[in-house]
Structure formats: C-alpha cells, structure tokens
Amino acid sequence: QVQLVESGGGLVQPGGSLRLSCAASGSIFRIDDMGWYRQAPEKERELVARITSGGSTNYADFVKGRFTISRDNAKNTVFLQMNSLKPDDTAVYYCNAQIRLARWSYDQPYWGQGTQVTVSS
C-alpha cells in the first residue's frame, strides 16, 4: 500500500516562510512527476508547482519567485519552500505523485491527506 505523508504546515504571519515535506512509502517501483496543489475554502483545487524525476520544474504564476519545489529521489520525498507568504496563500496543501508500482505497470496518481497552511497576522 502506497502512502504519501505531508508535514510542515501551520500558522505564519504575512511575509513569513514555511517548508512543506511529503514522503512516499510502500511498494514503489518508480516515482515520476511529483507536485503540490492547494485548495482554499469554496475554491477548486489548483496546481502550485510540479517537478519531474529529472528535476525540471513548473510553477503557477501566483507563486513564481516566492515558492521553490525540490525533491530527494533517494528518499521519495518532495519539498515546497514557501517564502514571502501572503494571506491569499491560506489553503490546504496536497502532495501528488505519479507512481508506478511495477516495471510492467503504468503511472497512477496518489494524494497525501493535506496539510493546512494559514497566513494571518
């Protein structure tokens, strides 16, 4: 059974920083793309940032220059460094990973349980 476990959320003042982590565990053959999404109250889930297994990244316009995604392939972990946080960044942040369970299988999407980030003074 594959699990994605997130950590690092919390309450921070505007202009502050947080670092989110997401570790995948279980019977995993390979992890391809990994990413972070977020969902604010009464809004749809939206992409924040993604990173390929080779380290190529893409970001939503609203976080460019403030957030940085990275990963440790040896530890099946993805990170999101969030700087210059704004109240509009308040949301539940979800980790996503495209995981292949065996050599002969195909990628399937897995999600973490979500971690709350609240930016408020």
Side-chain angles (χ1 to χ4, degrees), residues 5-8 19-23 34-38 45-51 58 60 67-70 77-82 92-97 111 114-115:
V5 179
E6 298 137 339
S7 61
R19 187 178 192 236
L20 305 183
S21 300
C22 171
M34 301 184 81
W36 291 93
Y37 290 72
R38 72 185 188 185
R45 191 173 297 188
E46 59 185 357
L47 173 69
V48 175
R50 292 194 66 81
I51 184 168
N58 68 284
F67 292 9
T68 302
I69 189 171
S70 60
T77 301
V78 63
F79 306 96
L80 185 68
Q81 178 65 44
M82 304 186 294
V92 177
Y93 284 70
Y94 295 93
C95 171
N96 169 270
W111 292 90
T115 185

Side-chain angles (χ1 to χ4, degrees), residues 2-113:
V2 173
Q3 281 191 315
L4 271 61
V5 179
E6 298 137 339
S7 61
L11 173 64
V12 64
Q13 292 187 342
S17 299
L18 283 175
R19 187 178 192 236
L20 305 183
S21 300
C22 171
S25 62
S27 182
I28 296 171
F29 173 73
R30 189 177 77 199
I31 301 178
D32 289 316
D33 289 6
M34 301 184 81
W36 291 93
Y37 290 72
R38 72 185 188 185
Q39 187 167 17
E42 300 182 358
K43 292 189 176 181
E44 294 189 353
R45 191 173 297 188
E46 59 185 357
L47 173 69
V48 175
R50 292 194 66 81
I51 184 168
T52 68
S53 58
S56 297
T57 59
N58 68 284
Y59 295 91
D61 286 344
F62 53 77
V63 302
K64 283 182 179 177
R66 301 189 298 125
F67 292 9
T68 302
I69 189 171
S70 60
R71 64 190 284 174
D72 183 337
N73 289 333
K75 296 182 179 180
N76 290 340
T77 301
V78 63
F79 306 96
L80 185 68
Q81 178 65 44
M82 304 186 294
N83 299 329
S84 302
L85 283 160
K86 306 173 182 179
D88 284 350
D89 294 319
T90 295
V92 177
Y93 284 70
Y94 295 93
C95 171
N96 169 270
Q98 301 294 319
I99 297 176
R100 186 171 299 196
L101 301 182
R103 182 183 299 275
W104 46 263
S105 68
Y106 50 88
D107 284 356
Q108 297 180 68
Y110 287 85
W111 292 90
Q113 80 284 1

